[in-house]
Amino acid sequence: MDAELAVEHLRALIRIPTVSRMAPELADEAAFVEFRAELARLYPLVGALRPEVVGGGSLLFRWPGREPGVDPAVLMAHYDVVPADDVPGRTGGWTHPPFAAEVTGEGAERRVWGRGAIDDKGMLASILEAVEAALSEGVTPERDIYLSFGHNEETQGAGAEAIVDLLQSRGIRCGLVIDEGGAIVEGLLPGVEGQIAMIGLSEKGIAGVELIAEKQGGHAATPAPNGATALLARAILRLESHPSRAELPEPSIAMFEAVAARASGARRWLYRNARRLRRPLAWVLARSGPEQAAVVRTTRAVTRLRGSAGDNVLAERATAMVNVRIATGSTVEAAMDDIRRVVGDGIEVRLVYGSDPPPVSRPDGPAWDALTRAIAEVFPRTIPSPFIMIQASDARYFTRISDAVYRFLPFDLTRGEREALHAVDESIRVSTYLDGIRFFRRLIDEL
């Protein structure tokens, strides 16, 4: 591997601002066209596989194997990113411009800065570097390998869904699918020492729910009590002060059983007996921090607010958008019922979009074994652990054509790096990125 060339390739991809927008007409389509052209230029051997453009911009490559059609594998990533706009007047903006792909530091602290460095151009470039290297070595995989690169994952992933529709129409079922998800982490679970490779067996469902309060408007100089904004504010506070019930799903029990040997003190006993003590363990996690609490409950976050159009106008209609991540074992319908119960009368609760949690893949079998062998080869000090991913990904669509869909980002990520995702100062250490390339190169040999 030419490490410096691989870094320059990643920087070139970060510099292209492929920003997804909820309103498609606001997206810069030219940036997406430029990105696809840049992929062909940077990775000519992969480009020679002649990708199909699906769903308006997603890419599907087929790398033929020695046994075509037999349990093909899918390596996934997406090349769109969330906005990186600084808020005028706010302190704490980007230290390095989000699309400059600047490199700082030396040795183990050398890193590339920019939107998409981890989510998800880092993974996409890791896959492409590994496949380009294998093609240059004359490798022919045992089975077909598909590369699926979504162009609108950050806005519900219609491109990836179209790819699944296409593969399904061709009668293709896949033996392994791997997409972004859990990473190699340390300190995520209370009392657990050392690094854990978190492999998502499934992910939470997702819903966008609008809260609507309506009252008579008027001039702001003569406000009446209990206006639309006040009703909405009280409903939001009720949601925050009445979180969903904490419960421990089966994959989380398997996670604690897997990491118990690395736990210290009483937590080792607690994790080993997670199945028998699932309720008290859920209670502990719900009070251990946001990441831990999200593992055991449906979460609700108010992300957008809207009132009147003028500073001196009372709102006749006030709205809030609630981003809901639905726990495994629950449903969109159950989440909606719970929100209605909490906010009470006077607030309309409207489902804008939603999907139930997808099926759970098994933490065993040939696909799991291939994945964990590759992890052990590149990250020998880690232990693999199943878990439920708390974010949504394009992988959920692939559960229609595969029983082995795993969500694993082959990067060793610090807490700070994880917290910078969808926030300012996203960056990746060069050593972490290069390990991701090694992982995919090893995984190709396992397939």
Side-chain angles (χ1 to χ4, degrees), residues 69 165-173 401:
D165 290 341
L166 178 63
L167 293 175
Q168 193 169 33
S169 73
R170 295 171 178 172
I172 295 170
R173 285 196 62 82
I401 60 171

Side-chain angles (χ1 to χ4, degrees), residues 210-214 227-236 238 318 320 339-340 342-350:
E210 188 178 35
L211 306 182
I212 304 167
E214 294 184 323
T229 54
L231 290 175
L232 182 64
R234 283 195 285 271
I236 292 170
R238 285 195 294 271
I339 291 172
R340 292 190 180 99
V342 172
V343 301
D345 296 335
I347 300 292
E348 180 185 349
V349 180
R350 184 175 75 90

Side-chain angles (χ1 to χ4, degrees), residues 63-64 66 131 133-142 145 441 444-445:
W63 182 9
R66 286 190 290 272
V131 174
L135 288 168
S136 71
E137 298 162 14
V139 171
T140 300
E142 192 70 28
I145 297 178
R441 182 64 191 86
I444 288 167
D445 289 340

Side-chain angles (χ1 to χ4, degrees), residues 57-368:
S58 292
L59 297 173
L60 179 65
F61 300 77
R62 175 177 171 260
W63 182 9
R66 286 190 290 272
E67 297 186 53
V70 178
D71 295 333
V74 181
L75 308 182
M76 296 179 61
H78 64 88
Y79 68 93
D80 63 319
V81 299
V82 295
D85 310 317
D86 276 336
V87 178
R90 184 192 66 183
T91 58
W94 286 80
T95 306
H96 304 271
F99 297 108
E102 293 181 358
V103 178
T104 64
E106 297 180 356
E109 293 306 313
R110 190 170 181 235
R111 65 176 61 239
V112 180
W113 300 80
R115 176 62 83 223
I118 294 174
D119 185 15
D120 190 33
K121 291 180 180 178
M123 181 153 173
L124 182 142
S126 296
I127 293 171
L128 286 167
E129 293 289 339
V131 174
E132 186 80 3
L135 288 168
S136 71
E137 298 162 14
V139 171
T140 300
E142 192 70 28
R143 65 181 80 181
D144 287 356
I145 297 178
Y146 288 92
L147 311 182
S148 173
F149 299 147
H151 76 292
N152 54 11
E153 189 272 350
E154 300 292 1
T155 54
Q156 302 304 311
E161 187 174 19
I163 286 176
V164 172
D165 290 341
L166 178 63
L167 293 175
Q168 193 169 33
S169 73
R170 295 171 178 172
I172 295 170
R173 285 196 62 82
C174 301
L176 168 66
V177 177
I178 181 168
D179 193 11
E180 63 174 338
I184 295 169
V185 300
E186 193 166 356
L188 178 63
L189 299 175
V192 176
E193 300 174 354
Q195 292 185 322
I196 305 171
M198 306 296 289
I199 305 170
L201 304 184
S202 185
E203 60 190 55
K204 286 186 164 184
I206 186 170
V209 178
E210 188 178 35
L211 306 182
I212 304 167
E214 294 184 323
K215 277 280 187 170
Q216 182 175 342
H219 200 291
T222 56
N226 297 314
T229 54
L231 290 175
L232 182 64
R234 283 195 285 271
I236 292 170
L237 289 175
R238 285 195 294 271
L239 274 183
E240 186 163 311
S241 59
H242 295 82
S244 299
R245 180 179 175 180
E247 296 182 302
L248 202 63
E250 185 64 31
S252 296
I253 293 174
M255 172 182 70
F256 287 112
E257 292 173 342
V259 305
R262 290 277 183 92
S264 58
R267 285 195 173 90
R268 175 176 296 185
W269 177 85
L270 179 64
Y271 294 167
R272 280 179 175 167
N273 293 277
R275 188 172 304 280
R276 185 162 56 91
L277 301 170
R278 62 195 307 168
R279 293 191 68 179
L281 184 53
W283 186 90
V284 169
L285 287 171
R287 289 154 180 80
S288 298
E291 281 188 308
Q292 292 83 0
V295 170
V296 295
R297 62 163 47 114
T298 294
T299 60
R300 304 181 288 237
V302 175
T303 55
R304 290 188 289 131
L305 298 169
R306 177 171 293 181
S308 74
D311 290 349
N312 61 347
V313 179
L314 298 177
E316 294 186 353
R317 177 185 174 95
T319 64
M321 180 58 71
V322 186
N323 186 273
V324 185
R325 303 300 173 116
I326 303 163
T328 297
S330 187
T331 63
V332 171
E333 182 179 3
M336 291 288 290
D337 289 342
D338 196 38
I339 291 172
R340 292 190 180 99
R341 177 186 61 80
V342 172
V343 301
D345 296 335
I347 300 292
E348 180 185 349
V349 180
R350 184 175 75 90
L351 180 66
V352 179
Y353 59 85
S355 58
D356 292 336
V360 178
S361 297
R362 294 177 57 89
D364 55 27
W368 174 268

